[in-house]
Amino acid sequence: MLTPEYPLTTPRLHLRPFTPDDLDALHAYESRPDVTRYLYWEPRDRQTTRTSLDKKITRHTLHDEGDALDLAITLRTTGQLIGNALLIWTSTQHRQGEIGYVLHPDHHGHGYAPEATRPLIHLGFTQLGLHRITGRLDARNKASARVLEKLGMRHEATLVDNEIVKGEWTSETIYAILETEWTP
């Protein structure tokens, strides 16, 4: 089991569990077509965002395979919620996890995604005992690929037209890093 001490702190950010008060800020980015373009879901209305938030609120401890930390990314200076970062425990037997992140577009291009994700990778390797952490993304999402590269992850595969997402064939790119390759 892993229950981090919150907030997780970086030079510019705090990562903390979501609360009911985060609805407006979460909806501000989950409702945008430019945010959901490369994700599995369409822009969310307020009620669907509320359902999403209810799930996020419960995702702050890893008990077993399949659990996830889904944390609010906030600016240390203002407390403003600007996105979320995710660590999923994908396999106990193979000691594997996966990371993800979503940021409000107003905060793209400032290095927040790698800064927010780095502590989750660190937790995965040092406290959860993972051997390998992956990042999966729509192959068209070049900005997200750059984030994974900044984290030291390597491109391992592109699965061509492997899924139908939102009614069209899409390709998936997979990045990964091993525990022995991680430098905090």
Side-chain angles (χ1 to χ4, degrees):
M1 184 172 94
L2 172 61
T3 304
E5 216 174 286
Y6 293 112
L8 303 177
T9 301
T10 72
R12 300 178 296 166
L13 305 171
H14 280 152
L15 280 73
R16 60 161 175 80
F18 277 90
T19 72
D21 294 336
D22 293 324
L23 180 60
D24 290 336
L26 181 63
H27 185 64
Y29 65 89
E30 284 197 349
S31 63
R32 295 177 58 132
D34 55 342
V35 170
T36 63
R37 179 179 179 199
Y38 298 123
L39 300 175
Y40 288 109
W41 38 275
E42 297 287 352
R44 292 179 168 156
D45 61 27
R46 191 168 177 80
Q47 183 53 47
T48 307
T49 300
R50 184 182 309 278
T51 301
S52 168
L53 177 59
D54 290 344
K55 183 177 181 181
K56 289 177 183 307
I57 288 170
T58 68
R59 300 177 91 183
H60 54 82
T61 300
L62 297 173
H63 294 283
D64 201 358
E65 179 178 308
D67 288 347
L69 300 177
D70 194 349
L71 304 177
I73 303 169
T74 63
L75 297 175
R76 282 182 65 177
T77 54
T78 64
Q80 178 186 7
L81 188 145
I82 63 169
N84 60 286
L86 185 72
L87 172 64
I88 306 167
W89 188 3
T90 58
S91 174
T92 303
Q93 178 183 0
H94 303 294
R95 297 176 40 215
Q96 294 193 31
E98 180 181 335
I99 56 163
Y101 39 84
V102 179
L103 286 177
H104 190 291
D106 290 352
H107 301 281
H108 288 179
H110 300 286
Y112 292 137
E115 184 174 333
T117 311
R118 198 168 277 113
L120 295 178
I121 294 172
H122 182 76
L123 282 174
F125 287 139
T126 63
Q127 293 189 30
L128 197 56
L130 298 179
H131 169 71
R132 172 185 163 85
I133 297 176
T134 62
R136 299 180 308 117
L137 60 144
D138 185 304
R140 299 170 293 180
N141 193 343
K142 303 302 182 197
S144 190
R146 284 191 300 276
V147 168
L148 297 175
E149 290 164 1
K150 286 178 185 176
L151 290 165
M153 299 178 95
R154 83 182 145 284
H155 175 258
E156 290 195 333
T158 297
L159 309 175
V160 178
D161 285 355
N162 72 313
E163 295 178 308
I164 296 176
V165 179
K166 300 176 187 171
E168 68 177 320
W169 284 106
T170 61
S171 299
E172 179 182 24
T173 298
I174 300 169
Y175 279 78
I177 189 167
L178 298 176
E179 176 184 19
T180 56
E181 299 168 325
W182 175 247
T183 52

